[in-house]
Amino acid sequence: MRSVCALVLSFCFAVSVCAGQSRTNPSGALSNGGGNVSEFEVNGLKVIVKQRPGAQTVSVGLFLRGGSANITASNAGIEELLLSTAIDGSVRFPKASLRTELSSMATTVSYGTNQDYSALSMACTREYFDRSWTIFMDVALHPLLTAGDVDLEKKRLIVQANDRIDTPDSYLGVLRETNIYAGHPYANSSSGSAASLAKITAEDLRAYHQQMMQTSRLLLVLVGDLDIYEMRARVTASFGTMPRGNYHRGAVSTVTFTSPRVEIVQKSLPTNYVEGVFAGPPFDSADFAALQVASSILQDRVFVEVRVKRNLSYDPSAFLAGQSASVGGISVTAVDANQAVKLMLDEITLLKKEPVESSTLAEVVAQYITTYFLGIETSGAQAGTLAQYEIIGGGWQNAEALLDRIRAVKASDVQRVAKEYMRNLQFDVIGDGTAINKQVFTAQP
């Protein structure tokens, strides 16, 4: 992710809070059910506005639906290259004037991509919102995409693509795309490869921008001390005559693993880098909250067993990715990878065999909720979560019910989802293959 000035907008797997129950009626009129989040539609564009009375900052995200499903292996990275070049300058605000104006207002414009959607984002103070909105709309709708800017951005992204292969931690992510998602749309990396990026031209970006700039493909989210009716007028002026298109998000198939697997990339390193992945439920599944709690419990346990008690690794972890086709798993960097992985798999087995004590469950839920609130302090994080739930979570309203779902998780739910999903782990290992005992990795319950 790159920024003009210094943007921080959490939108990929952001956690945010929202309230209210709003709907848009068939005519597209503004609808609000009494909370502080409203939605309306302009020319086929869904707009979500969260009002934060008294807030001194405003965050705006223009989200492009589709993610990896929009691209192929041959043009992987085109969306990231488009967005990274777009923020270099627009028709009304070429590079020099864009940077000067943004710096003078401390406004930031940035972008981000993931497997399910991408975004152009803007953060500013309320004082400078009017001018910042004008600039942001021109960047989004009328980027210059000069051949020189495209070439510079392409070179930068190619360096990053090569770095991902050269750095073991990030290379595990590359291996996940290659091995875990083989045959799945997620195999098409939103960041692209050096080979795919090298083939993309400025003309390709202009054509892709025209393809994406259809209101049916877009979602606009705004968070701040904003007047809803004023924002509707602004959005209408910017998007009212844009082509609608007929984009409909297709179902994203989940991944499934029928047996455990271990793949080793032999490298001469002082330690081994390990990631084991299991297939999870969709982000909008009723099981997702229970698996979030189960993964939090697993994280605490593997940290104690692997680091605190035995000092085998600095940062052993358990994770769960909030994606349409979600995956969870364990990761560790350890010289003695066999012992570390066995301990982590033993903790998974324990989750399956023994119900979590009620006191432990209560502590983990409380910790989760505290972390949740810490993560949603900024307007950017709140905009990110509204978008995440709207695009892949069954509607932004579901974000409001997240904490209720977390609090409702029972010990039996944790045990059930551990049995159902934490199995047939797919391991990728980077390091000394001769020291890896595959039987340890595949001896899973």
Side-chain angles (χ1 to χ4, degrees):
M1 185 179 292
R2 188 172 69 91
S3 66
V4 172
C5 301
L7 166 85
V8 177
L9 174 61
S10 301
F11 83 93
C12 288
F13 301 116
V15 178
S16 174
V17 70
C18 57
Q21 293 294 326
S22 303
R23 291 289 188 274
T24 302
N25 65 29
S27 67
L30 175 68
S31 178
N32 186 298
N36 61 345
V37 179
S38 302
E39 66 173 50
F40 57 87
E41 185 177 298
V42 171
N43 185 33
L45 171 68
K46 179 73 169 287
V47 183
I48 301 171
V49 180
K50 178 173 183 179
Q51 294 172 292
R52 298 187 74 191
Q56 297 302 305
T57 60
V58 179
S59 291
V60 181
L62 182 64
F63 295 83
L64 287 65
R65 305 172 191 263
S68 296
N70 293 337
I71 59 179
T72 64
S74 62
N75 72 351
I78 189 170
E79 199 157 293
E80 179 154 349
L81 181 56
L82 168 64
L83 299 180
S84 69
T85 309
I87 66 174
D88 282 334
S90 65
V91 172
R92 289 182 58 189
F93 303 96
K95 182 180 290 186
S97 62
L98 176 67
R99 292 180 175 177
T100 298
E101 289 226 35
L102 293 178
S103 295
S104 68
M105 299 182 293
T107 293
T108 56
V109 176
S110 187
Y111 77 93
T113 63
N114 66 34
Q115 289 102 329
D116 292 306
Y117 51 89
S118 301
L120 277 173
S121 49
M122 184 263 286
C124 66
T125 62
R126 186 64 184 86
E127 177 183 3
Y128 293 111
F129 175 70
D130 291 350
R131 186 61 173 171
S132 298
W133 171 266
T134 299
I135 294 172
F136 181 65
M137 284 295 99
D138 206 57
V139 168
L141 304 182
H142 308 290
L144 273 178
L145 304 177
T146 66
D149 287 342
V150 172
D151 186 56
L152 286 174
E153 288 303 316
K154 186 193 302 186
K155 289 178 180 177
R156 183 182 65 83
L157 293 179
I158 287 174
V159 170
Q160 288 186 357
N162 288 328
D163 284 345
R164 285 194 295 273
I165 296 175
D166 293 336
T167 306
D169 277 325
S170 57
Y171 190 26
L172 283 174
V174 175
L175 292 175
R176 183 193 300 183
E177 291 171 348
T178 303
N179 297 329
I180 304 303
Y181 295 126
H184 191 277
Y186 284 3
N188 299 324
S189 170
S190 60
S191 299
S193 65
S196 64
L197 288 163
K199 296 184 293 184
I200 301 171
T201 66
E203 290 73 19
D204 294 330
L205 293 189
R206 294 189 189 99
Y208 191 81
H209 180 263
Q210 184 175 9
Q211 171 191 339
M212 294 305 297
M213 287 300 109
Q214 300 176 347
T215 56
S216 59
R217 288 183 172 272
L218 303 175
L219 169 70
L220 183 65
V221 182
L222 306 99
V223 178
D225 190 356
L226 302 168
D227 179 85
I228 303 298
Y229 299 97
E230 177 188 342
M231 288 315 309
R232 178 163 186 168
R234 288 179 181 271
V235 174
T236 300
S238 297
F239 296 92
T241 60
M242 180 179 289
R244 287 192 177 214
N246 58 358
Y247 174 79
H248 295 284
R249 180 175 179 268
V252 178
S253 60
T254 57
V255 293
T256 57
F257 308 127
T258 57
S259 60
R261 175 191 61 80
V262 184
E263 294 288 341
I264 300 172
V265 176
Q266 180 67 37
K267 283 186 178 292
S268 179
L269 298 170
T271 189
N272 299 289
Y273 294 77
V274 180
E275 181 180 82
V277 171
F278 59 79
F283 182 67
D284 59 0
S285 166
D287 281 347
F288 199 84
L291 197 57
Q292 286 175 298
V293 175
S295 296
S296 294
I297 294 171
L298 182 61
Q299 167 63 43
D300 291 344
R301 290 181 173 183
V302 299
F303 186 84
V304 169
E305 292 298 323
V306 176
R307 178 180 175 178
V308 176
K309 290 185 177 181
R310 296 169 179 83
N311 199 29
L312 293 171
S313 175
Y314 177 75
D315 189 26
S317 66
F319 61 89
L320 178 64
Q323 305 165 184
S324 292
S326 74
V327 294
I330 54 176
S331 64
V332 66
T333 303
V335 174
D336 189 348
N338 297 321
Q339 186 181 0
V341 168
K342 183 181 185 305
L343 289 166
M344 298 172 91
L345 292 176
D346 286 346
E347 291 305 316
I348 292 177
T349 300
L350 186 63
L351 271 180
K352 296 178 180 182
K353 290 185 175 181
E354 298 182 10
V356 177
E357 293 183 359
S358 58
S359 58
T360 299
L361 182 59
E363 290 171 0
V364 169
V365 168
Q367 180 185 41
Y368 186 97
I369 292 172
T370 298
T371 304
Y372 170 91
F373 282 116
L374 289 173
I376 56 92
E377 292 180 330
T378 67
S379 296
Q382 296 184 30
T385 290
L386 286 168
Q388 182 186 26
Y389 276 88
E390 177 64 28
I391 295 172
I392 67 172
W396 63 262
Q397 295 84 359
N398 288 333
E400 180 186 7
L402 172 61
L403 293 186
D404 290 337
R405 294 196 299 272
I406 294 294
R407 293 187 181 102
V409 172
K410 302 180 179 68
S412 58
D413 296 322
V414 171
Q415 191 172 17
R416 176 181 57 80
V417 296
K419 290 178 180 178
E420 183 169 352
Y421 298 106
M422 293 182 179
R423 55 193 177 90
N424 294 327
L425 272 70
Q426 309 291 292
F427 279 99
D428 289 304
V429 182
I430 302 173
D432 182 8
T434 62
I436 299 300
N437 183 350
K438 288 188 175 183
Q439 290 183 341
V440 171
F441 288 66
T442 57
Q444 302 174 29

